Amino acid sequence: MERREFLGKAGKIALGAAAVSAIAACGNDAETAVDEVAADSSFPEINWEMATSWPLSLDTIFGGAEEFSSMVSRMTGGKFTITPRAAGELVGAVEVLPSVETGAVKAGHTASYYYVGKSNAVAFGTALPFGLTARQQNAWLYEGGGQQLMQDFYRERFGIIQFFAGNTGTQMGGWFNKELNSVADLPGLKMRIPGLGGQVMTRLGVTVELIAGGEVFQALDTGRVDAAEWVGPYDDTKMSFQDAAKFYYYPGWWEPGPSLEVEFPVSEFDPLPEEYKAIIEAAAYAANHIMLARYDALNPPALADIIAAGKTTILPFPEDVMIASEQAAFALYDEYSAADPDFKTIFDSWAPFRTAIQDWHGLAEKAMLDFGALDR
């Protein structure tokens, strides 16, 4: 098999997660492609370490980095290995992007919204408050031009190329030790919440803290914070938040469909063989879809366990909290668009896409979900 033929096959892998998994599992052409790479001495042997933002206890999120790395290795016959490391092993949990930017590490797996201090535009790579669900996010990224916009921005601003490699689905609103009856209960509340969601909460009077994942339970349990957002039932129970807070709110309006990403310095990525570049892209695509599927499978039984334990009160955010938060969010977007050309360029693609797809999903998807949720 010629190398360019393999490139064509690898590029086509990005059409679906099942196809990516299949390249190392079945099919004569896939096996032949892997064998050709392994046997061709012109393909270099590369070993990189990957900094991540995740503790090992978050097996689904950290598992996304492992899944990505495993597929890269399998599709190159073991010639290209990327070894993910837990937060703190190479760099701190929220130091991944700066470390990739400087070349201190050659690969990273993180959430872009941790770095809004560098540019608010990075938030589009994870999620914007009242933005896109996971399906909508993927539609914008892969078919609406979002991934190309983000890659162009990252390359110019940070000297990085990134690919989307995970999504948790719509998150919960977090754990609270104070009940919220109205928006009037927000001023003075101390909450762990990152990204633009934190900026919205700040506008509503909340004292926001950005605390590394491994420290969140203690901060909530000791009263350092009154509330903390994390992910959803599966990850939250692994962190034992149900033992540190009384109330569990929904929805996580700041993360309706948050993407995670793999990152590489362009100085390391650009010289790679074209085949390796295509494999990275394909493996990221697969990891993105696999992580979401796992969360959708794991969250329902975890939620059932929380309910059965009887220690937690599960509540929706009051309507006036939702309304005030959405208004504050879009006021921020107007300000950022006026002050930051990068943010405006991406927002001008994102906003009309959001309107159109939410109109469509609000018609068809919502009707099915509402019917399925009826107590019959």
Side-chain angles (χ1 to χ4, degrees), residues 145-206:
Q147 177 167 267
Q148 189 62 56
L149 282 169
M150 295 306 297
Q151 288 181 340
D152 291 345
F153 166 66
Y154 267 67
R155 181 175 284 270
E156 181 177 348
R157 184 67 179 268
F158 306 119
I160 287 173
I161 186 166
Q162 46 82 261
F163 299 91
F164 296 95
N167 198 304
T168 68
T170 302
Q171 298 194 358
M172 288 290 282
W175 298 86
F176 288 68
N177 273 317
K178 294 183 178 181
E179 185 173 0
L180 300 179
N181 295 302
S182 75
V183 71
D185 294 325
L186 292 179
L189 189 81
K190 296 176 293 182
M191 185 175 183
R192 184 268 183 193
I193 176 172
L196 298 189
Q199 295 185 31
V200 171
M201 282 296 197
T202 297
R203 291 211 164 190
L204 298 178
V206 175

Side-chain angles (χ1 to χ4, degrees), residues 239-282:
M239 299 288 280
S240 299
F241 291 146
Q242 69 275 14
D243 297 326
K246 303 173 184 177
F247 303 101
Y248 198 22
Y249 275 91
Y250 67 91
W253 46 260
W254 45 87
E255 296 184 56
S259 298
L260 308 175
E261 62 189 36
V262 289
E263 305 171 343
F264 310 93
V266 295
S267 59
E268 299 289 344
F269 180 85
D270 286 354
L272 291 174
E274 292 300 317
E275 290 83 349
Y276 284 10
K277 294 177 185 177
I279 284 169
I280 284 175
E281 183 174 6

